Amino acid sequence: MRLAIAASILLAAALPALAQQTQAREAAQGRMQRQTQRVTTQDFLNQASVINNFEIQASRAVEPQIKDKPARDLALTLDRDHARMSDELTAMASRLSMKVPTRLDEAHQRKLQQLESATGQEQERLFRTQQIEGHEKAIRLFQSYASDGDNAELRNWAKNSLATLQQHLDRAQALHEPSGTM
């Protein structure tokens, strides 16, 4: 009986230390994971610039043809907001002596070509889908850099841009499917 009590006391004393070791190990793993997933300043500039350029080009491509007023209004808003964001990003990159791409990457070029070759309801459906998917991805990118980015000015800009991106996503999600259903 004494042996069982002694073992229980030792175990009770060791458990907090074991729990602390486990927490420390998990925290270290989390830090390592965040570091490997961290977006560098140049990567963020590149990705954010491509996103802005795509939004501008896609909006300009579809706006004249869109019949649905909320979708047309969204295209105009996207063009205006992403042009402003692009100008701000380019100015920050210049202050950092860094460059931003002026062309779309292959994936965004394909999406733009799909959008431009579609017509009517298919174009409106594709526009809505691309806006939802694109803004979800942009929000993840901006959140990542806002929390872990290595440049304070750019980190703050990413954080402040999230509200605009979320508004765009909300509006895209609220668009009716061209068939008249959500």
Side-chain angles (χ1 to χ4, degrees):
M1 182 72 162
R2 285 185 194 162
L3 188 58
I5 293 171
S8 295
I9 292 170
L10 286 174
L11 186 59
L15 281 178
L18 185 59
Q20 282 181 331
Q21 288 176 344
T22 302
Q23 288 174 342
R25 191 176 326 109
E26 288 172 355
Q29 288 173 340
R31 282 192 302 275
M32 286 180 7
Q33 210 171 23
R34 281 193 303 276
Q35 287 173 348
T36 59
Q37 294 175 353
R38 180 175 286 168
V39 178
T40 67
T41 296
Q42 188 63 64
D43 286 342
F44 178 75
L45 288 169
N46 291 347
Q47 291 178 50
S49 181
V50 167
I51 288 167
N52 284 326
N53 288 336
F54 174 76
E55 294 302 335
I56 294 165
Q57 291 181 43
S59 297
R60 290 178 182 173
V62 300
E63 188 272 326
Q65 287 109 13
I66 291 179
K67 305 246 184 285
D68 182 60
K69 183 172 177 8
R72 190 173 48 254
D73 290 346
L74 176 59
L76 291 168
T77 299
L78 292 173
D79 184 5
R80 181 193 66 232
D81 290 352
H82 283 281
R84 176 187 44 80
M85 291 171 71
S86 181
D87 291 344
E88 293 168 354
L89 191 64
T90 301
M92 278 187 280
S94 179
R95 287 193 297 276
L96 295 170
S97 299
M98 299 176 111
K99 296 198 183 284
V100 293
T102 56
R103 294 180 180 198
L104 297 178
D105 60 14
E106 279 186 43
H108 284 92
Q109 187 61 48
R110 271 193 309 276
K111 288 179 183 183
L112 182 61
Q113 288 170 344
Q114 290 172 341
L115 192 60
E116 290 174 333
S117 64
T119 58
Q121 290 184 345
E122 180 56 32
Q123 186 182 55
E124 289 183 29
R125 185 176 292 108
L126 189 58
F127 176 69
R128 178 183 185 271
T129 301
Q130 286 181 351
Q131 292 309 310
I132 292 170
E133 291 171 358
H135 280 88
E136 288 173 343
K137 184 178 178 182
I139 287 169
R140 285 190 303 272
L141 171 69
F142 278 58
Q143 285 172 333
S144 174
Y145 196 85
S147 65
D148 289 329
D150 55 2
N151 179 277
E153 179 186 14
L154 195 53
R155 197 172 50 241
N156 190 47
W157 179 81
K159 181 182 175 186
N160 292 334
S161 297
L162 282 167
T164 300
L165 295 172
Q166 186 63 54
Q167 288 172 353
H168 294 171
L169 175 59
D170 293 344
R171 287 180 63 187
Q173 289 172 329
L175 293 176
H176 291 282
E177 282 285 340
S179 65
T181 61
M182 289 286 285

